[in-house]
């Protein structure tokens, strides 16, 4: 059958006229769980090798033409991803095959992303003075000043941030309003406010503190979660680019999903190449499955541990886990009035009892034997150094508290005289002791426990805080530490900061990297100290772009900073000589050694037994009894030669072995960087043809499992994009762009629609 030339001409003309179309307006993230369209939202990639070389205006014109064409075919485009030349759209079932078999298009499901936390927990126990959450001290953030944090912007992609909260300085916080989920400064969930508090809650005397508490770091909030706690992968990709456009240096994503996305993978590869560090929660399924975006090579995957440095039972463990941080029963900020008093608790003989702090009560703690003060209508007797138990009635709560205080009591518990909770206030009366209210039933119970030990604390602030758990809580600890350390060494690259965090992490579990803790607990002070002595690892890398597919067999020319999985070799400027009586080289201060290397130091032999697969002596020598002692094992003795000490001015150089971890076959081939112009691949008699597809002619994708299982830990240098989760098992040959252009006009006929 022959086609008339007229439809072809009209189709071509429609593209030619696209130059008259205005640039696309900023897309919105639309999430409507009530629509029964979750199953047919797709990400559609347009294969145009020259797209990256176009100007921004040309790209917008091209994108508008593509959106118009898809709309004519029956698609509902809801989001444009200009940076990767793709769109998210709802499409009819009948339209999928048309797009899928076109050579100039690739298509994938738009997977869901969910919040990575759960469970509102009781306080882990009475812990007097714990207004600094345990995680802040555990990562040693309190030992590093945040005076320079103004040069950092941490972007939080989450459920928003409560704009009324007392524990934030909003002069340094901006965000993006999204009509699909609501305003960025309104948090109907609480999750985003909790995450942001871990990073930057203020040391203002009103509540708790974050990793950077002195109101210097900049926050940018992008809201992708509404009340329903889920979003699309394409919305996350778009949000991440919004972060980049607003100056983010670090992106925190306390979220995830089981299915990977090629669009999402390419987005985070591009962002890391631009010098932005993406960090995400490892996931809460408590198994070895992968969660995305954390499991992309370009993203740091963060596991959760408790205050005893044990893995949270829910924390996923796999080869992509890179680092660990506190994430069990962690206190942080919560939307105003919707949480609990910070860390408040009432304990009798170490058993917790439900209680509510009186409004305007002192934020101090109380501990003593329980004493009965009746109705508290006069100064309490025999309560010196004790906790007063007082019944409600006849006088105000403030008067009861003062009568306890004047009698020498250290705290007061007022119980109700009717059924129900007691939520009282002390008004404007100045009372220096903490005061709690309890139910009538609890009061009756306490009357039978007179003379027993009571401990309780009333927190500063109101019900604006909460304790929850998840890898969602671990991720912002790492994001905060990354920005904190980076603020002191702004000349370092994102990859170098990432590398330093892993090699200075406190090793947990088996020696070296493991699937439960990655390289260990993030340590702000150790990372700062390392950089203070060594500086950035090397000159900034030239780029992290994937190798152009036009020259698949060419050795990459990029010199990445040393990834944790690489095995560094030592090339000191002064070659160490062997000590007498053995073959081991003399230890060189400031050098780094391979796993199992043996060196002589102070008359003894030491073997590198590994910290992240290697041993650094830049700060700590073999035999030291601090921090990296576990990296060296004494294996014998050897008399060193006094003439073999290297010059104190010698400077070691870490020479990484190029690490290019091949990824499984991808559906979408990333375009080469504008600075790399791939040569056309011509068949040569003496050389085999390249095994990878050319950028201008993508090959059909191979079948892949929905969750590819990486066999090696992710590299932190060259980043390869991950596979599309659900490519077809087999495909017939695809047609060219002309075929798809014909569909613009003939689509309604082909899908069984008619116009009259």
């Amino acid at each position: 059958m022959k086609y008339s030339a007229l439809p072809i001409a009209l189709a071509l003309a429609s593209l030619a006229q696209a130059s008259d179309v205005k640039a696309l307006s900023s897309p919105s993230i639309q999430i409507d769980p009530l629509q029964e369209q979750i199953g047919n939202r797709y990400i559609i990639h347009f294969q145009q090798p020259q797209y990256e070389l176009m100007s921004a205006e040309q790209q917008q014109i091209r994108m508008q033409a593509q959106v118009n064409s898809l709309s004519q075919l029956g698609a509902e485009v809801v989001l444009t991803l200009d940076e990767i030349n793709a769109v998210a759209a709802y499409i009819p079932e009948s339209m999928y095959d048309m797009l899928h078999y076109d050579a100039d298009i690739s298509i994938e499901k738009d997977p869901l992303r969910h919040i990575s936390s759960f469970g509102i927990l009781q306080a882990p126990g009475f812990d007097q003075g714990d207004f600094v959450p345990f995680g802040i001290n555990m990562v040693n953030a309190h030992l590093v000043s945040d005076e320079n944090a103004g040069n950092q912007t941490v972007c939080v992609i989450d459920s928003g941030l409560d704009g009324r909260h007392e524990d934030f300085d909003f002069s340094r916080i901006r965000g993006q309003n999204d009509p699909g989920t609501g305003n960025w400064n309104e948090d109907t969930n609480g999750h985003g406010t909790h995450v942001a508090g871990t990073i930057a809650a203020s040391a203002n005397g009103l509540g708790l503190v974050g990793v950077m508490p002195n109101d210097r770091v900049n926050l940018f909030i992008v809201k992708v979660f509404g009340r329903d706690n889920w979003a699309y992968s394409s919305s996350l990709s778009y949000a991440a680019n919004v972060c980049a456009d607003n100056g983010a240096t670090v992106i925190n994503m306390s979220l995830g999903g089981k299915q990977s996305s090629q669009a999402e993978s390419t987005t985070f590869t591009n962002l890391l190449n631009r010098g932005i560090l993406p960090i995400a929660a490892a996931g809460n399924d408590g198994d070895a499955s992968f969660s995305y975006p954390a499991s992309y090579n370009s993203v740091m995957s963060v596991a959760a541990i408790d205050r005893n440095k044990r893995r949270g039972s829910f924390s996923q463990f796999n080869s992509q886990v890179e680092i660990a941080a506190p994430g069990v029963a962690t206190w942080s900020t919560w939307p105003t009035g919707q949480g609990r008093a910070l860390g408040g608790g009432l304990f009798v003989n170490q058993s917790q009892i439900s209680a509510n702090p009186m409004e305007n009560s002192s934020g101090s703690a109380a501990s003593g034997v329980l004493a009965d003060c009746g109705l508290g209508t006069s100064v309490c007797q025999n309560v010196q150094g004790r906790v007063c138990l007082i019944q409600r009635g006849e006088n105000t709560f403030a008067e009861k508290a003062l009568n306890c205080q004047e009698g020498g009591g250290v705290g007061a518990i007022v119980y109700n005289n009717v059924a129900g909770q007691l939520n009282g206030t002390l008004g404007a009366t100045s009372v220096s002791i903490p005061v709690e209210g309890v139910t009538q039933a609890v009061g009756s119970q306490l009357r039978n426990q007179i003379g027993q030990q009571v401990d309780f604390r009333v927190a500063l602030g109101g019900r604006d805080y909460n304790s929850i758990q998840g890898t969602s809580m671990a991720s912002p600890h790492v994001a905060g530490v990354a920005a904190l350390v980076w603020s002191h060494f702004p000349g370092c690259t994102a990859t170098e900061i990432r590398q330093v965090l892993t090699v200075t992490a406190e090793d947990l579990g088996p020696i070296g990297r493991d699937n439960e803790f990655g390289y260990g607990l993030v340590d702000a002070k150790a990372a700062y100290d390392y950089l203070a002595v060594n500086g950035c690892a090397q000159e900034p890398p030239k780029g992290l772009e994937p190798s152009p597919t036009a020259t698949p067999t060419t050795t990459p020319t990029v010199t990445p900073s040393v990834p944790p999985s690489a095995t560094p070799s030592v090339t000191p400027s002064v070659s160490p000589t062997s000590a007498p009586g053995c073959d081991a080289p003399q230890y060189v201060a400031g050098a780094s050694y391979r796993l199992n290397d043996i060196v002589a130091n102070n008359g003894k032999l030491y073997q590198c037994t590994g910290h992240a697969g290697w041993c650094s002596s830049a700060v700590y020598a073999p035999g030291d009894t601090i921090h990296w002692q576990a990296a060296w094992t004494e294996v014998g003795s050897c008399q060193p030669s006094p003439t073999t000490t290297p010059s104190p001015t010698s400077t070691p150089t870490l020479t990484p072995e190029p690490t290019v971890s091949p990824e499984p076959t991808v559906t979408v081939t990333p375009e080469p960087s504008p600075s790399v112009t791939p040569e056309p691949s011509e068949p040569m008699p003496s050389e085999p043809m390249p095994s990878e597809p050319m950028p201008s002619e993508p090959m059909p994708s191979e079948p892949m499992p929905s969750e590819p299982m990486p066999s090696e830990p992710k590299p932190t240098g060259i980043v390869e994009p991950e596979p599309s989760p659900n490519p077809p098992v087999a495909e017939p040959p695809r047609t060219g762009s002309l075929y798809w252009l014909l569909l613009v006009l003939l689509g309604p006929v082909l899908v069984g629609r008619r116009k009259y």
Side-chain angles (χ1 to χ4, degrees):
M1 179 178 179
K2 294 183 179 180
Y3 292 100
S4 167
L6 181 58
I8 298 175
L10 289 174
L12 293 175
S14 68
L15 289 181
Q17 294 170 358
S19 59
D20 296 328
V21 180
K22 293 183 179 179
L24 284 175
S25 58
S26 298
S28 61
I29 305 171
Q30 299 180 9
I31 302 175
D32 186 358
L34 300 178
Q35 296 179 5
E36 297 180 355
Q37 295 179 314
I38 294 178
N40 67 338
R41 176 159 158 166
Y42 293 86
I43 301 174
I44 301 167
H45 301 260
F46 302 103
Q47 304 299 312
Q48 295 170 349
Q50 302 303 314
Y51 182 79
E52 291 185 359
L53 302 180
M54 296 179 183
S55 67
E57 182 180 0
Q58 289 173 328
Q59 288 180 350
Q60 289 178 329
I61 291 171
R62 172 65 66 178
M63 179 63 72
Q64 184 68 72
Q66 292 165 160
V67 169
N68 291 344
S69 297
L70 287 172
S71 298
Q72 291 183 50
L73 286 173
E76 180 188 352
V77 177
V78 293
L79 191 66
T80 59
L81 304 173
D82 296 345
E83 292 79 4
I84 59 173
N85 196 20
V87 299
Y90 295 108
I91 63 173
E93 294 278 341
S94 54
M95 186 177 170
Y96 176 83
D97 285 342
M98 297 181 195
L99 300 178
H100 183 68
Y101 294 125
D102 188 277
D104 291 333
I105 287 178
S106 64
I107 185 170
E108 62 174 327
K109 281 277 190 179
D110 194 353
L112 300 183
R113 297 291 177 253
H114 300 273
I115 282 173
S116 294
S117 71
F118 56 94
I120 295 178
L121 305 176
Q122 291 296 323
F126 182 73
D127 191 5
Q128 184 171 345
D130 191 22
F131 294 114
V132 177
F134 80 90
I136 304 303
N137 290 342
M138 183 176 282
V139 301
N140 285 330
H142 63 299
L143 300 179
V144 180
S145 169
D146 66 349
E147 60 184 351
N148 298 324
N151 62 26
Q152 297 292 304
T153 297
V154 180
C155 189
V156 179
I157 302 176
D158 215 289
S159 62
L161 171 62
D162 177 23
R164 302 170 299 160
H165 204 286
E166 63 187 5
D167 236 348
F168 292 96
D169 177 6
F170 283 90
S171 68
R172 287 192 170 272
I173 302 176
R174 298 176 298 124
Q176 166 126 341
N177 293 333
D178 181 75
T181 55
N183 295 330
W184 68 267
N185 55 2
E186 296 175 358
D187 184 2
T188 57
N189 177 282
H191 189 269
T193 300
H194 195 283
V195 167
T198 296
I199 297 170
S202 298
N204 55 12
L206 296 177
L208 48 72
V209 298
V211 170
M212 294 172 285
N214 292 306
D215 300 332
R216 290 185 173 91
V217 70
N218 304 295
L219 293 184
F220 192 86
I221 310 298
V222 182
K223 184 174 180 178
V224 297
F225 293 119
R227 294 181 181 274
D228 303 290
N229 302 337
W230 63 267
Y232 283 105
S233 168
S234 58
S235 299
L236 176 58
S237 295
Y238 175 69
N241 281 306
V242 170
C243 292
D245 293 342
N246 284 277
T249 50
V250 178
I251 298 176
N252 184 82
M253 297 169 287
S254 293
L255 49 85
K258 292 180 177 294
Q259 195 173 27
S260 65
S261 161
Q262 185 58 53
E264 196 175 65
S265 170
T266 302
T267 294
F268 291 113
T269 296
N270 292 343
L271 291 175
L272 183 59
N273 292 341
R274 291 172 60 180
I276 300 167
L277 182 56
I279 299 171
N284 294 339
D285 286 346
D287 56 26
S289 63
F290 291 88
S291 178
Y292 299 92
S295 292
Y296 300 128
N297 287 344
S298 54
V299 180
M300 289 191 80
S301 176
V302 185
I305 60 175
D306 63 18
R307 63 175 58 216
N308 296 312
K309 300 181 182 179
R310 298 173 300 196
R311 179 181 67 87
S313 60
F314 52 83
S315 185
Q316 286 172 230
F317 47 93
N318 53 58
S319 62
Q320 295 295 89
V321 171
E322 192 164 334
I323 204 161
V328 179
T330 56
W331 281 98
S332 189
T333 47
W334 201 253
T336 303
Q338 299 178 29
R340 292 180 292 160
L342 178 61
L346 172 62
F347 298 82
V348 178
N349 284 341
Q350 299 183 349
S351 296
Q352 187 169 10
I353 295 176
S354 177
N356 297 317
M358 290 280 182
E359 185 181 32
N360 299 326
S361 171
S362 164
S364 60
S367 181
V369 172
L370 188 64
D372 191 357
C373 187
L375 286 168
T377 54
S378 61
V379 175
C380 298
Q381 304 298 312
N382 301 318
V383 297
Q384 183 71 35
R386 299 188 174 191
V387 175
C388 305
L389 179 63
I390 307 174
Q391 184 181 10
R392 178 185 182 184
E394 296 193 15
N395 59 345
T396 67
F397 298 129
E399 290 169 343
K400 295 177 186 293
L402 285 174
N403 286 332
C404 175
Q405 179 178 304
E406 292 177 12
V410 295
I413 301 172
V414 181
Y415 63 94
N416 211 341
N417 56 4
V418 295
Q421 293 289 334
L422 179 57
N423 296 303
T425 179
L426 301 179
T429 304
S430 177
V431 178
S432 62
I433 62 174
V435 184
E436 294 263 17
V438 298
T439 64
Q440 185 179 40
V442 169
S444 298
Q445 175 187 342
L446 292 176
R447 291 186 63 184
N448 295 325
Q449 294 177 299
I450 297 296
Q452 296 187 18
Q453 181 69 23
V454 175
D455 299 306
F456 72 94
R457 176 183 60 195
V458 177
L460 293 171
R463 297 178 174 278
D464 310 335
Y465 303 88
N466 230 331
S467 172
I468 60 177
Q469 66 181 355
T471 51
S472 274
M473 286 57 258
S475 182
H477 281 90
V478 176
V481 168
L484 177 62
V485 173
W486 206 349
S487 71
H488 291 276
F489 305 95
C492 293
T493 66
T495 299
E496 287 164 349
I497 293 297
R498 177 181 183 177
Q499 168 195 325
V500 168
L501 293 183
T502 56
V503 300
T504 60
E506 179 187 345
D507 200 0
L508 303 175
I511 293 176
R513 191 210 160 272
D514 59 80
N515 287 356
E516 291 195 357
F517 306 102
Y519 293 100
L521 170 63
V522 67
D523 188 331
K525 185 63 164 62
Y528 173 87
D529 288 347
Y530 181 91
L531 286 171
V533 172
N534 298 282
C536 301
Q538 59 182 45
E539 294 182 3
K542 297 177 181 179
L544 296 169
E545 296 82 7
S547 301
T549 56
T551 54
T553 60
T554 301
T555 302
T557 58
V558 176
T559 303
S561 47
V562 184
S565 58
T567 305
S569 60
V570 183
T571 54
S573 56
V574 178
S575 300
T577 58
S578 297
C582 67
D583 295 328
Q586 177 67 20
Y587 153 68
V588 178
S592 297
Y593 295 88
R594 296 175 183 270
L595 190 66
N596 298 322
D597 278 356
I598 296 177
V599 297
N601 190 46
N602 296 328
K604 295 182 179 180
L605 293 177
Y606 294 90
Q607 183 176 27
C608 173
T609 50
H611 176 86
W614 60 289
C615 298
S616 171
S617 56
V619 182
Y620 307 105
D624 281 352
T625 57
I626 54 177
H627 200 71
W628 284 354
Q629 180 184 20
W632 298 96
T633 301
E634 184 179 340
V635 294
S637 61
C638 183
Q639 183 60 42
S641 169
T643 62
T644 58
T645 303
S647 168
T649 60
S650 61
T651 302
T653 303
L654 295 179
T655 306
E657 298 175 358
T659 303
V660 182
S661 300
E663 300 286 342
T665 304
V666 299
T667 301
V668 180
T669 304
E671 304 297 340
S673 169
S675 61
V676 179
T677 305
E679 294 291 331
S681 178
E682 296 291 336
M684 298 296 292
S686 60
E687 296 182 7
M689 289 291 289
S691 59
E692 298 188 20
M694 295 293 291
S696 60
E697 298 184 17
M699 295 293 290
S701 59
E702 295 297 326
M704 288 294 299
S706 60
E707 294 182 36
M709 297 288 289
S711 59
E712 298 294 334
K714 68 179 74 173
T716 58
I718 294 180
V719 181
E720 300 284 353
E722 279 72 12
S724 177
N726 292 314
V729 175
E731 317 179 325
R734 291 188 175 192
T735 57
S737 59
L738 184 60
Y739 171 77
W740 189 65
L741 291 175
L742 286 172
L743 290 178
V744 173
L745 296 177
L746 301 179
V749 177
L750 296 176
V751 299
R753 299 179 183 176
R754 301 186 64 179
K755 290 186 177 181
Y756 295 95

